[in-house]
Amino acid sequence: MSTDAADPEVASSRKSTPKYRGPIMFRRDRKDGLGTADQNLLDRHEPSDWVHTDPWRVLRIQAEFVEGFGALAEVPRAVAVFGSARTPVEHPEYEAGRAIGAALARSGFAVITGGGPGAMEAVNRGASEAGGYSIGLGIELPFEQSLNDWVDLGINFRYFFARKTMFVKYSQAFVCLPGGFGTLDELFEALTLVQTRKITRFPIILFGTRYWAGLVDWLRDSLGASGKISPGDLNLLHVTDSVEEIVEIVTAAVESGGARDALGTEDQW
């Protein structure tokens, strides 16, 4: 019997957080120096490199859409929930995410998150513990991040734009817990799609009135006051601290077939 397994240093050296390139996993020295597919697509500045590589990359992009559509085609009605990957397990926001995931699951909705740690894990965990359908759409990043253990159906994407399409196409609503740039990215993309009527029945809900208050004030007092958005655009958002209200808003919008009427009036601002 080899003594390597009994050596803590050797055992520790064999443990390594994986890095993903799409569905392919790398560990240890195999992951060193790997860029992401998005980096390779967007950051290459060689004069002629794109001529030889980009046409073939289209096939990989096409495959990513095909895989995503195939995996999610039979998913029941679902709600996408976003939030910070940095939320600690002991934080109240983690418990809120867990409660939201469970409440949506008990109301018959699958949950779709980014599949990572923090708030995303909390939502997946809540849905899974409640017996619901817990989905994670991961993304290849320069730093290591794998799908959390509470994901029932997981897909690792190479390209952000393919992943974003899956969130919008297979969700009935977006819920944003406190988060950073990634959460804001999804939030404003959803707002733009609804504002421009690319999608029509889509509640967008911010959970945590205190956290989002500064952003809401800026939207109203800067964008709204200067005419950069229409007054009615503020009604595309609903801000709440109530898990029950999230479920009510989403359910009402789905049952009525319309999102705007379910989101309240300017009085809430």
Side-chain angles (χ1 to χ4, degrees):
M1 178 178 175
S2 172
T3 59
D4 287 353
D7 188 330
E9 292 186 6
V10 172
S12 176
S13 69
R14 288 180 175 173
K15 295 179 180 179
S16 175
T17 305
K19 176 176 283 189
Y20 292 88
R21 297 192 70 174
I24 303 171
M25 182 191 74
F26 299 88
R27 279 200 175 104
R28 289 175 284 279
D29 58 345
R30 297 296 178 183
K31 68 183 182 181
D32 293 341
L34 284 177
T36 69
D38 272 335
Q39 286 175 329
N40 293 333
L41 174 64
L42 301 174
D43 280 353
R44 293 294 178 91
H45 301 295
E46 295 88 345
S48 63
D49 181 68
W50 66 272
V51 174
H52 305 290
T53 61
D54 282 6
W56 292 104
R57 189 171 286 123
V58 170
L59 297 178
R60 176 180 285 178
I61 294 169
Q62 175 181 291
E64 192 147 285
F65 277 105
V66 171
E67 289 170 355
F69 291 155
L72 299 172
E74 303 301 323
V75 168
R77 61 182 189 173
V79 175
V81 187
F82 302 96
S84 176
R86 305 182 186 191
T87 303
V89 174
E90 65 276 7
H91 199 282
E93 290 169 5
Y94 185 97
E95 286 305 312
R98 194 171 168 185
I100 290 169
L104 289 169
R106 287 193 293 267
S107 298
F109 292 97
V111 299
I112 305 177
T113 78
M120 294 175 283
E121 176 188 288
V123 174
N124 287 130
R125 179 177 179 178
S128 182
E129 289 175 334
Y133 202 162
S134 178
I135 301 167
L137 306 183
I139 184 69
E140 175 186 303
L141 296 171
F143 50 88
E144 293 82 5
Q145 180 172 300
S146 58
L147 294 173
N148 67 68
D149 292 336
W150 299 97
V151 169
D152 299 323
L153 170 63
I155 307 172
N156 277 304
F157 288 87
R158 291 183 172 94
Y159 300 104
F160 268 109
F161 53 82
R163 180 178 181 246
K164 289 171 181 290
T165 299
M166 303 303 154
F167 277 124
V168 175
K169 180 173 176 58
Y170 294 103
S171 298
Q172 304 293 316
F174 272 17
V175 177
C176 294
L177 281 77
F181 286 160
T183 301
L184 291 172
D185 177 46
E186 300 294 351
L187 167 62
F188 281 105
E189 183 161 45
L191 280 172
T192 301
L193 290 172
V194 177
Q195 181 199 47
T196 57
R197 300 188 181 181
K198 292 291 187 180
I199 50 178
T200 56
R201 298 187 301 275
F202 208 81
I204 303 170
I205 306 165
L206 303 180
F207 181 84
T209 55
R210 183 175 181 182
Y211 184 85
W212 296 109
L215 176 62
V216 170
D217 290 344
W218 178 75
L219 290 174
R220 181 191 62 234
D221 299 336
S222 185
L223 273 67
S226 63
K228 300 299 188 297
I229 58 174
S230 300
D233 288 341
L234 291 175
N235 297 332
L236 301 178
L237 281 172
H238 192 101
V239 187
T240 183
D241 292 313
S242 169
V243 174
E244 293 75 17
E245 189 174 6
I246 290 174
V247 176
E248 290 173 3
I249 292 169
V250 175
T251 302
V254 170
E255 290 179 350
S256 68
R260 293 176 187 264
D261 292 341
L263 294 179
T265 67
E266 291 179 83
D267 292 339
Q268 70 191 67
W269 302 96

